[in-house]
């Protein structure tokens, strides 16, 4: 299929039935998305069930997660995720730096030609409206992404400020942090923007988590090369930023 493949051509190649596997349908869906995709450069990576594109600094992934409650021969549903990470892995942990991560909390049915067509069109509409504009800006103007996010944060803070001592506001802060990560602020934000994001993160922590954060900060102040355990990234970057340590 060429990049100009029509939806009719894709549907003409749909030949899945009750005996089809989840893997087969996901691979066909990814290839279909690739052929309808308005941005060049994305490739299907079967092992990760993803559409990936690499730039000089970023790895951009659109991937599909199978519903663990799928019933063979009856239903094959997937959820759509978008993730942007730094192209290089951290040498001390082997893990990628996550910059942006977002999921559409909706299951798409792939089994059956009509259901597949509806799901494919819905996924493309969602990706085109919500993910591609941000992906393009991440590639061309990462600083502008932070500035826009900060403006949104200020307006949202006004909306939620009366709940600052309550669960609603803290959950809101956590959701925002998952969308635009600490590493993105570290690499592309100003010192002030990084500090504002750090303060929002600390404000979202429970008392026990704050204590763990403080203890991790002390650990990295003592030895910045200490292994980073799960949940200690903000503490590590807090010290790295203050000491001017390159990551």
């Amino acid at each position: 299929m060429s990049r100009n493949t029509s939806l009719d051509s894709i549907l003409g190649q749909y030949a899945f039935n009750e005996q089809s596997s989840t893997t087969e349908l996901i691979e066909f869906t990814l290839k279909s998305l690739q052929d309808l995709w308005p941005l060049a450069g994305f490739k299907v990576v079967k092992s990760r069930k993803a559409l990936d594109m690499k730039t000089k600094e970023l790895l951009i992934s659109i991937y599909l997660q199978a519903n663990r409650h799928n019933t063979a021969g009856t239903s094959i549903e997937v959820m759509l995720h978008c993730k942007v990470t730094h192209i290089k892995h951290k040498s001390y942990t082997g893990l990628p730096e996550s910059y942006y991560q977002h999921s559409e909390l909706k299951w798409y049915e792939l089994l059956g030609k009509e259901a597949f067509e509806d799901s494919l069109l819905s996924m493309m509409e969602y990706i085109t409206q919500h993910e591609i504009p941000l992906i393009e800006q991440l590639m061309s103007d990462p600083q502008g992404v932070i500035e826009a996010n900060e403006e949104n944060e200020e307006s949202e803070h006004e909306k939620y400020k009366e709940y600052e001592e309550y669960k609603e506001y803290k959950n809101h802060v956590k959701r925002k942090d998952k969308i635009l990560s600490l590493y993105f602020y570290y690499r592309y934000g100003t010192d002030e923007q990084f500090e504002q994001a750090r303060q929002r993160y600390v404000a979202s922590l429970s008392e026990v988590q704050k204590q763990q954060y403080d203890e991790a900060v002390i650990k990295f102040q003592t030895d910045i090369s200490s292994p980073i355990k799960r949940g200690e990234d903000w503490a590590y970057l807090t010290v790295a930023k203050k000491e001017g340590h390159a990551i």
Side-chain angles (χ1 to χ4, degrees), residues 5-7 26 62 66 68-69 87 109 111 130 133 141 144 152 164 166 170 192 208 228 234 237 239 243:
T5 302
S6 68
L7 180 61
I26 286 179
I62 299 289
R68 62 188 180 91
H69 296 298
I87 196 68
E109 179 62 65
L111 188 58
H130 298 280
D141 183 20
N152 290 337
E164 284 187 356
Y166 300 96
K170 293 190 175 184
E192 181 181 0
V208 172
I228 302 174
W234 261 119
L237 290 181
V239 176
E243 297 183 357

Side-chain angles (χ1 to χ4, degrees), residues 37 39-43 51-55 58-62 87 135 139:
W37 200 258
L39 293 179
F42 279 84
K43 297 181 179 180
L51 280 174
D52 282 357
M53 182 174 72
K54 294 181 179 180
T55 70
L58 304 177
L59 171 62
I60 303 166
S61 300
I62 299 289
I87 196 68
I135 288 172
M139 294 168 60

Side-chain angles (χ1 to χ4, degrees), residues 123-186:
M123 282 190 277
M124 280 305 305
E125 181 180 12
Y126 175 81
I127 291 169
T128 302
Q129 291 182 359
H130 298 280
E131 303 297 359
I132 287 180
L134 179 58
I135 288 172
E136 290 179 325
Q137 192 175 14
L138 282 169
M139 294 168 60
S140 63
D141 183 20
Q143 177 62 39
V145 174
I146 289 182
E147 291 173 357
N149 194 70
E150 290 298 295
E151 291 176 2
N152 290 337
E153 184 61 39
E154 289 179 9
S155 63
E156 290 293 326
H157 183 270
E158 288 298 314
K159 176 181 176 182
Y160 283 91
K161 65 181 180 180
E162 60 184 297
Y163 301 115
E164 284 187 356
E165 299 301 321
Y166 300 96
K167 184 177 180 180
E168 293 94 328
Y169 181 73
K170 293 190 175 184
N171 284 343
H172 168 71
V173 171
K174 290 178 181 178
R175 287 196 298 272
K176 295 288 285 188
D177 284 343
K178 288 181 180 178
I179 293 176
L180 201 59
S181 81
L182 62 163
Y183 286 101
F184 193 77
Y185 274 93
Y186 182 92

Side-chain angles (χ1 to χ4, degrees), residues 23-24 26-28 30 43-52 54 59 61-66:
T23 298
E24 289 175 320
I26 286 179
E27 290 178 359
F28 182 78
L30 289 170
K43 297 181 179 180
V44 175
V45 182
K46 293 182 180 180
S47 61
R48 302 202 312 110
K49 298 181 176 64
L51 280 174
D52 282 357
K54 294 181 179 180
L59 171 62
S61 300
I62 299 289
Y63 60 100
L64 301 177
Q65 171 196 349

Side-chain angles (χ1 to χ4, degrees), residues 16-232:
F16 301 94
N17 53 39
E18 293 82 2
Q19 282 72 48
S20 301
S21 70
T22 299
T23 298
E24 289 175 320
L25 258 171
I26 286 179
E27 290 178 359
F28 182 78
T29 304
L30 289 170
K31 186 66 173 68
S32 300
L33 288 171
Q34 181 189 34
D35 288 317
L36 295 174
W37 200 258
L39 293 179
F42 279 84
K43 297 181 179 180
V44 175
V45 182
K46 293 182 180 180
S47 61
R48 302 202 312 110
K49 298 181 176 64
L51 280 174
D52 282 357
M53 182 174 72
K54 294 181 179 180
T55 70
K56 183 178 180 180
E57 294 187 341
L58 304 177
L59 171 62
I60 303 166
S61 300
I62 299 289
Y63 60 100
L64 301 177
Q65 171 196 349
N67 189 337
R68 62 188 180 91
H69 296 298
N70 281 338
T71 304
T74 302
S75 177
I76 297 179
E77 294 181 329
V78 295
M79 186 176 289
L80 180 71
H81 305 276
C82 178
K83 188 172 185 178
V84 180
T85 62
H86 194 267
I87 196 68
K88 296 180 180 179
H89 285 59
K90 298 194 288 268
S91 60
Y92 41 85
T93 65
L95 298 175
E97 295 176 6
S98 176
Y99 286 167
Y100 167 83
Q101 185 169 333
H102 191 253
S103 303
E104 189 189 13
L105 302 180
K106 175 181 178 179
W107 292 109
Y108 291 101
E109 179 62 65
L110 302 182
L111 188 58
K113 184 177 290 189
E114 288 187 7
F116 172 81
E117 179 180 4
D118 290 342
S119 293
L120 185 64
L121 290 174
S122 293
M123 282 190 277
M124 280 305 305
E125 181 180 12
Y126 175 81
I127 291 169
T128 302
Q129 291 182 359
H130 298 280
E131 303 297 359
I132 287 180
L134 179 58
I135 288 172
E136 290 179 325
Q137 192 175 14
L138 282 169
M139 294 168 60
S140 63
D141 183 20
Q143 177 62 39
V145 174
I146 289 182
E147 291 173 357
N149 194 70
E150 290 298 295
E151 291 176 2
N152 290 337
E153 184 61 39
E154 289 179 9
S155 63
E156 290 293 326
H157 183 270
E158 288 298 314
K159 176 181 176 182
Y160 283 91
K161 65 181 180 180
E162 60 184 297
Y163 301 115
E164 284 187 356
E165 299 301 321
Y166 300 96
K167 184 177 180 180
E168 293 94 328
Y169 181 73
K170 293 190 175 184
N171 284 343
H172 168 71
V173 171
K174 290 178 181 178
R175 287 196 298 272
K176 295 288 285 188
D177 284 343
K178 288 181 180 178
I179 293 176
L180 201 59
S181 81
L182 62 163
Y183 286 101
F184 193 77
Y185 274 93
Y186 182 92
R187 289 194 181 275
Y188 297 106
T190 63
D191 289 349
E192 181 181 0
Q193 289 167 339
F194 175 84
E195 178 59 21
Q196 289 173 344
R198 187 195 70 82
Q199 290 178 9
R200 288 196 299 270
Y201 167 75
V202 173
S204 73
L205 300 177
S206 66
E207 290 303 317
V208 172
Q209 290 171 327
K210 286 180 181 178
Q211 182 177 349
Q212 293 171 341
Y213 167 79
D214 291 338
E215 290 172 353
V217 167
I218 293 173
K219 180 182 83 169
F220 292 120
Q221 286 174 333
T222 302
D223 182 6
I224 192 66
S225 61
S226 295
I228 302 174
K229 297 179 181 179
R230 182 179 295 274
E232 292 185 342

